[in-house]
Structure formats: C-alpha cells, structure tokens
Amino acid sequence: MDVSRRTLLMATAGVALLPTGKASAETLEERALAMKPPVFLLETAVPPQLQGAGLAITDQRAVCGTRSLRWDHDERATVTIRTPLNWSPDAYRPGDDQAWQGLVDAFSVWIHNETPVDDVVRFEFGRGDRTDLWFEFRLGFTGWRTAWVRYAYDMHGRPHKDMDTVRITAPRRKGALWLDQLILNTAIRPDGPCRDFQLPDIGREQDEYDHQHWQALYLFDQLLQEARPEGKATDDEKAALRRLRTAYTDEYLTAKVTVDVAALTAQVASMENRPVHAYQREIYPQEIAAELRTFVNAVTLRSVTDLMKTVAQAYDQDRQALGGLYVRLVKLLREQGWTRGSCQGTIHHLGYDVRGYYDSVFLMRDVLREAGLFEQVRADLGWLTGFGRVFRGWKHRWAHGSTMDILNTTVRGMLAYALLRDTEDEQVAYLNAFVDWLNAALLPTTGIQDGIKTDGTTFHHVGFFPDYARDGFAGAAPIIYLLGDRISAEAFASLKKALLTMRVYANKASWPISVSGRNPSGATALSTVPYMWLSGDDEIGAAFLRLLPAVPTAEQKMWADKVRVPAEKAPTGNWALNYGAMAVHRRGDWQVSARGHNRYLWSTEIYVGANMYGRYNTYGQIQVLRGSNAESGYQQQGYDWNRRPGTTTIHKPLDQLRGDLTGAIEEMLLSDSRFAGAHSIDGRHGMWAMDLHGHPKYDGSHRARKSAFFFDDRVIAVGTAISNDDAANPTETTLFQVKRTGKVIMDGQEVTFPYTGADLSARWLIDDQNIGYELPVGQTLNLTRSTQSSRDNATEAPTSGDFSTAWLSHGKAPKDGSYSYAMLIDATPERMAAFPPYTIVRADAEAHVVSDQTTGITGYAAFERTTFDGAVRAVDTPCLVLTRTDGDALVLAVCDPDLRLYSGIDHDQYERGRYVGHFSPWSRPWLAGPSHPHVLRVTLDGRWAADGDQPCRVRRVGPVTVVEFTTVDGRPVQVRLVRG
C-alpha cells in the first residue's frame, strides 16, 4: 500500500457503464477487505471490523454496486471500526508549490440522508479509546453526499502512525442513514478535496490555488449571498435585455434536434438509480481502481447533462414526454448530490461536465416552475457556475487562474444564471456584474499568470499553451457575440489580437509541436468556432473565410455568407512572440517556427500519463509546417523524442529521458537563463536566439548558445559554446526527423531505404519534405533512413515507424562544440547548388552575427554585453539586433527578449549559490509581476540622427553614436536613422 500510495497515477479513463454480477462483486469485495487497511464496499455482508447496533446490508439504495449499509441508529449511537489505519506522513505543505504536492492519506465515505437536519455525523480516529483526530459531517441535505477528508490537513487534532480505531457517532435524532464505499485510508492528490456545506472547513488552501475556479465554490457562494446585486434598470437597459434574451434563445440555445422519444426514455431509465460521477473515481485505491470503476457502474455527469441539453432543444417535439424526462434527469442529479452546497468530494473540472446543464435550464425554465423545481435549480446553477467569483475582485494571487477553463466552460452558465433572475431589474444588475467581470478577464494579464498576453499569446498552466486558449475562445465567443457592445473596446481588442495571433502560429490550423504543451500528438489545432461567431469584425471575418474547411458545415456556410469582406490571404511576415520565446516566420502557406524557454517560461509540461518524454520540446526546436503536422512529416509512432529538429540535446536512452515525477504530479522546469526569444524587422524578416542551460534535475551541465535567422525562404542556424559533462551519451544537433514519405537527396544522389551513414561530410541534403540543408565543411553528419522504435508519450507503449533523420554529432561530453547550417524551403537540387549567399560574420560564445546578401539584413545575437566590428559597434545588454540600409539611411531594430519579470535572482531556486531549480512556476512570487522597462543602448559606427520622431534617444559620442531604447514585454523596437 505504501508503495502504491507514493506512485499513484491519476485515473483519467471514462467511467465504465458495464453490468456487474454477484460473483464479480464477491471477488472484488474479498480483495477490498484483504487490503491494509481494508476497503468496505458494503455489498454482501456487514464486515466483521464494524461493530454497532442497527447495521444491515440493504438493496434499497446504493452508490457503489447495488447495495449499501443501512444504519438504523438511536440518538448519538456509535459504530466502531477496529483495524490499523496505516497512516503515514508526507511532504505536502498547504500553499506550497503545486507541482510538488505528491500524495496524501485521506478518509472517504458516502452517506445518504432522507431528511435534512441541523446536525452532524461525527467521525473520530485514534488508538483504541484514545481519539487523535476528528471531523464532523453536516446533515442538512437529502440524497447522497461524500466526504474526502485528509488526515493531516482537514481533521482536528494530530494524526498518529499507530491509529487503529474509527468511531462514527450518529446525530442527536433517532433515524436511519445509509453508508457506502467506506475507504479508511487512500492516497490522493492533496488538491482534490474541497469544502462544501457538509465539510465547510476542509481544503481551505484550495481557495488560493490556480484551480480555485473549480474548487472555491463555497467561497464564491458566500460572496454571492453577500453581494446580491440590485438596482433600478433604465428603459434602455430593459429593452437591450429583451433583445439579449431573444438572441440568446434564438441564435444560441435553439437548435433543430429530432429525437426518438421512446429511445430517449429508455436511455433516461438506464441512468436512474445509478451514481452520477465526474472525478469521484479519483478516490479509488489504485490496487482495485480499474475493477472498482466497473463495479460502481456509474454514469458520467457529462453524459447526463449532454442529454439534458438534447432533451431541452427537442422539447417542442413532444412537450409532455420530454418535459417529464427533463424533470427526471434534474431529480437524478439532485439525488446524486449535484446541487447547491455539494462538492461531492472533489469538484475538479466541473465546467467540462455540466455545460449541457447550463445551456438547458433557460429553455426549460417553465417546465421547472411547473414541477416546483425552478428555485432549487437556479440556486444549483449559481453554485455550480461559481457566479460569486465576479465579486471577488482581481487582487488575489490566482485572480486569473485558469481563465481559459472559465471562458470555455462556465461563462455560458453565468450568463444563464443572470438571465434567470426574477425581475428585469435583477437581471440587468446581475448581467452588469457578469459583464464587468468578463471585460476584465479578457484584458492582457501581467507576468506568467493565465490569460491573454500583450503579444497575443495565451497562457494556461502559467505558460504558453494554446490548446486551452482554442477551447476557451470557442466557449466564450458565442457569449461575447450575444453581449455585443457590452463588451468593452479594450476587451474585444485584446481578444481579437489573440485570435489573429493564433491564426499566425497555426498553419493552417495546426500549431507546431513546440507549443503543444503536454499534448505532443501533433493533432491539436485551432477551432474555427470563435472566428465564426465573431466574424462580424472584418479582420476576424476574413480570417474565418480562409480557415474554413474544404467542405464547410451548413452552419459555417450560413455565417460565411454574412461576412462583408473577402477571405484573407495566408499571413506573410515574421512575428516575435516573446511571451512564448518563439519566432514565427511565414510565406504563403508554409511556416517556420523556433522556440526556446527561459527563467520565466517552463520548458515543457510533463504530466502523469502525458508527454513523458517531452524534456527537449523547447531546446531550440525549429519546425517547418505545411498544413498539419502529419502532412509536414511528424508522426508520434516511432518518433525519437531525443531528436526534435533544431534542438541541441544529449541523446539518452528513453528510460533516462523519461520524466521523473517522484513526489510530484507534474513537471514544469524553469532554467536559470534569462535569454531566449525572437526579434523581427519590417515585420517580414527576423531572428531567434537562446542561451540554453539544461535543468540540474537532469542535465545541469548541458549548455549551448543557439540562434536562427529568417530571410524569406531561408533559415540560417548557428550554435556555439556547446558543452556538458555527460561522457556516456552523445550530444547532437538535429537537422530533421520526418516520416518517410518521399526521397532524401544528398549531394545530388538519392539515399536509399534503409540507410545508415555516420561521419559524413555531405555539403547539402534535401529531406522527404523538400526542405534543403546546406552544411559548411568541418562538421560530422549522421543520416539514417530506417524503421525506428520508440514509446508512446502517454501510455509508454512501444511504437515504431519509418523515418528519415539527420543530425550533427558533437561527441560525448563536448567542450565548446559548435555547428552551423542553412535551410531552404521548397528546395531542389538546382536551388541547393545555387544557395543564396550569406555570411556568418561571427560565431563565438558571446555573439552570433549573420549577414544575408539577398535582403541586405544583418542580424546580431548578443548573449553578453559585447563589442563588434562593423556598423554596430557595441551593445550594453544581451539583446537581438537587426539592421539594413535604406539608401543613406539605416533601419535599426532592437529587442531585449528578457521579460524582466523580476530583477536579480530568484533566491528560492538556489542553494549555496548554485542553481537547483526545485520550484515550479506555480509558487513563484513574481508570477503576476509586470514586465519592467529597461534602457538598452546600442553603439553605432559613425554619426547618426533620428529621422523625425522615432522611439529612441540619440546621443553622439565622438566618432560613434549611442542610440537608447526603452524596451518592455520583449517587444521589438524599430527606428530609422539618417547621417548627421
């Protein structure tokens, strides 16, 4: 038990809907009783460990299997359970770093109550007659409720490792209670349990974690009861409200749904008398979790609420029958505890499971009134949406925590709750409070907290993670459309920038693997839904038309016909997205991206059962996309996770590359390096650079200074100062790894399959995707075309696939290694033979300088404060500089990619002056800090003056000119200078 307790994996599979039999129940119950401590399924007999009067197994009701324990009790009667509880201490500290929470010991039980009473069931834990711990479970409810209570953090008293007794004391009144699925001790994530009306004092730290948007419902309910917005609406406000209600019903809620009423009736009947669960399975002990899911035979909360939406939208087809079905589903949910004041142990990810409920209530409000359920369901909606969050303000630490989750799942329910108030005055008051909150939620956020950033990137899990933004925008867009000009100009501009930026780093819909977060399947992509709903804006509408699939749906066609402008052309240009340490370079229908990480931005998110080999995802990955990832040669099956294109890595066996989540629920490592980001000139060409430093958890000695320069259809990649102490594994820079789909050409000759070539001195290559690679002499090239073996990123099951892969070898434990190569999009042998000229002016530990003769642009990646020969003589800050001449004028673009969210060092991350990087972004005190402005000075050869009003200050010092820029948010600044 102790081993599994410390290595428990969160269950993520759907709840099974399978029949159970007596034999399987008895077998599982025997296994559960044999565990230490035992788990009581209470299915066939009263366990011998339970001692007390009035105990019997009954089939009257159950939440685990088909039977439960009925307890006919007298006033303050007691049931005693005697068995060692096997409690053990853990490293969790409430409020500490969330990634390092580990697992904690908890007690759990289900209780059914028939008559609400202002009283409690008391649970005591101790050694014999001695009580070490206790808590009370309030009984002001009807139906099923459950308790998840952590021994060391939620109970009164102090736990003891020798506890061997549990005493359950009945309320003051005589009566009956039903108990089921009594788990004396199970290992759970400490951020699971959340307080509610039954257990108002547990898990208080959940109000301050990033997932407070789910878990702080008790707090939100308190705020809602205290606020009770009111006011007298004007005639104009009432007229606008009526228009909103009409549009809400006709344009959003109403849909043509035809159902088989008989089949729907049978479906509802199959759900009744069964538990309705979302994440309630997470309490199951790991040893029997899979079997217990089948045995419990729960129906998922989402399947019930999705069905409610279907019934509501089809209501006019047969009002009497479907109205009755809807009421039955409401009663099922309320009996199973999905009601105001209940968190059912955990309420994690609630919004994903109840969206259908939110969308159905307004349509069925009259049915609910007739059934006498309207007031209760409206109160349930206020609780489940956490509407009171709008009154909490924005000053607390996690004010913007998981913004995208809320936009995706909950704003629709919040709007419904406001529109369900009794009077128009109330509806306007609640609506205004909601809109004020939504307008603030859409504005750019500072630091690494979730939400939209000033450069248009979007954050979730305190990092650039567009999968969630896609869903957030898709969920919120219909509500924003309905609200119309109630959405402020500033809020809409922020959202618009995020949408237009998303369609830049997506190509056409798919985004690069380097921004896939913990989902490296290659299948994640943007959704056209937000572009569709907001296509009344001309720029968004033009993007929507371009993003339409080849065969649009009827709904998409309807919206497309309303757009007033033609479809946009594919974005062309170069973008520096420094809240993602990312460069995006596009021409027509192809895109090249480069991405890194730094001391503010995590390198990758490794999660239990997801992205287990993702360590190198942002080690300078350079990816070319034409269409989807699959169309561009990416395939997870057989993929060597060590060899991501453009990265400089230590090639490790997969067992060593695998993320180590011991004591953690996820891994989001931060480097100590400030320098990683992108820069752009004229919005058309650009560069990217990174001071790469591996994390000391795995490869703290691994360092490299990397850059990439983007000129039209060419990329020049440079690496220097490559070093580490790993004498067992080779260090490599990968050129490409693509699924074998076509030819590979090397110096004009086709490379066969299979093929293995090491220590090659090829001058150029063209891969299966027609990307060319020019290689200066003096480098060691390796090329394979073979069937590769690997593992799935999530299941870790063996995989294989045919790939073409090329990399430059730096040997083992390199010291001051280097590389350079150039890429050409849409290469042919003829084009490679006449590769456009460029010059690597400088490539050392301090700086990389590349000059492109075709565009006349020179790029400087200064990793240190340094001096140069040429037009740029010096910089006083590590930075990125791009220059070009324009007649006698000089166009100068500079960028300080350091977001400067804090100054100095993060002392928590150091021990005795050495970076250890123990803490994840969740706990960092600078999490919400703004980017601090910095004055960057560039010294130019000769005498220069600003050409009119330019965002710089110019100062001549003898034969040179010092140009000062104020930089912030990693934003490029471009000026034009003339001889002076």
Side-chain angles (χ1 to χ4, degrees), residues 1-2 5 32-39 83-86 185 287:
M1 183 79 172
D2 286 340
R5 177 175 297 126
L33 285 172
M35 294 173 61
K36 296 181 179 180
V39 171
T83 187
L85 300 184
N86 286 12
N185 189 358
E287 298 91 326

Side-chain angles (χ1 to χ4, degrees), residues 397 445-449 453 579 899-902 924-932 969:
R397 176 172 171 79
T445 59
T446 56
I448 59 170
Q449 58 186 330
K453 299 301 170 186
Y579 274 92
L899 295 175
R900 299 185 183 275
L901 303 183
Y902 65 94
R924 297 304 78 220
W926 44 264
L927 176 142
S931 176
H932 296 286
D969 287 316

Side-chain angles (χ1 to χ4, degrees), residues 63 109-112 137-148 192-200 202 214-219 221 276-278 280 301 332-348 350 354 357-358 376 379-386:
V63 76
V109 66
W110 283 88
I111 298 178
H112 188 281
F137 189 84
R138 298 184 180 182
L139 293 173
F141 65 90
T142 60
W144 283 105
R145 300 291 189 274
T146 189
W148 291 16
C194 55
R195 59 188 182 131
D196 57 12
F197 286 7
Q198 287 70 59
L199 294 162
I202 73 167
W214 312 127
Q215 301 284 79
L217 297 189
Y218 186 87
L219 171 63
D221 188 76
V276 179
H277 289 175
Q280 283 56 53
L301 176 61
L332 170 64
L333 288 184
R334 305 197 87 247
E335 165 71 8
Q336 291 297 322
W338 299 103
T339 179
R340 178 175 177 241
S342 173
C343 279
Q344 292 299 68
T346 189
I347 208 82
H348 255 303
L350 170 73
V354 293
Y357 197 4
Y358 296 157
Q376 297 98 309
D380 296 345
L381 209 63
W383 169 270
L384 294 171
T385 62

Side-chain angles (χ1 to χ4, degrees), residues 106-158:
F107 170 86
S108 176
V109 66
W110 283 88
I111 298 178
H112 188 281
N113 188 31
E114 287 189 326
T115 306
V117 60
D118 185 16
D119 206 340
V120 300
V121 177
R122 182 181 173 95
F123 293 85
E124 298 177 356
F125 307 82
R127 291 161 283 165
D129 294 335
R130 176 171 179 169
T131 297
D132 294 305
L133 296 167
W134 62 272
F135 74 88
E136 293 179 335
F137 189 84
R138 298 184 180 182
L139 293 173
F141 65 90
T142 60
W144 283 105
R145 300 291 189 274
T146 189
W148 291 16
V149 189
R150 303 166 302 176
Y151 279 98
Y153 309 102
D154 296 326
M155 300 185 188
H156 301 274
R158 297 182 63 181

